[in-house]
Amino acid sequence: RDATGFYTTDSHRFTTSTAALTSRIDLGQAPGEHDWTLAHPVGTVRVVATATSERATFVGIAPESSVDTWLRDVAHEEVTGANFGPFHTDSTVVPGSSAPSSPAAQRFWVASVSGTGPQTLLWLSDGGAWRIVVMNADARPGVSVDVTVGAKTGALLPIGAGLAIAGLCFAVGAA
């Protein structure tokens, strides 16, 4: 946990010769579809991406279906899994022959940032299927970025307190 309250990963380098790196985020049903669905299931998500060159970087989060349609015939690499001890990712290169249009011109992003230097995207999470996209802001292939991902949620304190109270009750009952 860092000084601002985010639980974060270490910085890791991601490189692809394709136009974009993507990763799926599945947060279940969208709010309102079920009474028990949390309005913001993870809290605030933070993605910090820093290009390893002087190129401008784009980072965005959008509905999975919108990103899949946009990148339908564009070569990109999808990160499908990660292991943090030791760090290792699984990914799949999705083939394509078209060049992507400018990411900043797309209207489907729920959160996005673009520029040189470290780019920090903050997103108040919502239920549903989403994609994180990291690419060069000019949409040219050849992405190389150092990335950290984190989340800040108020849910951990109530869960921890609930578990502590339950443990205390079991201890008193056992005594």
Side-chain angles (χ1 to χ4, degrees):
R1 188 168 175 184
D2 69 12
T4 61
F6 280 87
Y7 294 91
T8 64
T9 65
D10 290 332
S11 179
H12 296 286
R13 180 151 300 164
F14 291 85
T15 303
T16 183
S17 61
T18 67
L21 291 161
T22 68
S23 184
R24 184 171 194 264
I25 305 171
D26 188 351
L27 298 177
Q29 301 294 324
E33 293 182 22
H34 299 288
D35 290 339
W36 52 266
T37 304
L38 297 174
H40 301 288
V42 178
T44 303
V45 173
R46 180 178 69 191
V47 180
V48 180
T50 307
T52 60
S53 67
E54 296 298 316
R55 296 177 96 170
T57 303
F58 174 88
V59 182
I61 295 180
E64 181 178 40
S65 60
S66 298
V67 172
D68 290 351
T69 299
W70 177 54
L71 295 178
R72 179 173 290 134
D73 193 35
V74 174
H76 61 281
E77 189 163 340
E78 183 177 346
V79 178
T80 57
N83 183 350
F84 293 98
F87 181 75
H88 168 75
T89 60
D90 297 317
S91 63
T92 301
V93 173
V94 178
S97 58
S98 297
S101 54
S102 168
Q106 307 311 308
R107 301 280 184 230
F108 49 69
W109 304 110
V110 294
S112 65
V113 293
S114 183
T116 57
Q119 295 302 301
T120 302
L121 177 134
L122 295 172
W123 173 56
L124 190 56
S125 66
D126 203 355
W130 304 93
R131 284 213 190 272
I132 296 175
V133 176
V134 178
M135 59 192 299
N136 296 318
D138 61 8
R140 290 186 183 179
V143 180
S144 182
V145 290
D146 293 327
V147 176
T148 64
V149 178
K152 183 195 295 190
T153 179
L156 294 180
L157 181 58
I159 290 170
L163 291 173
I165 291 168
L168 183 59
C169 290
F170 284 121
V172 168

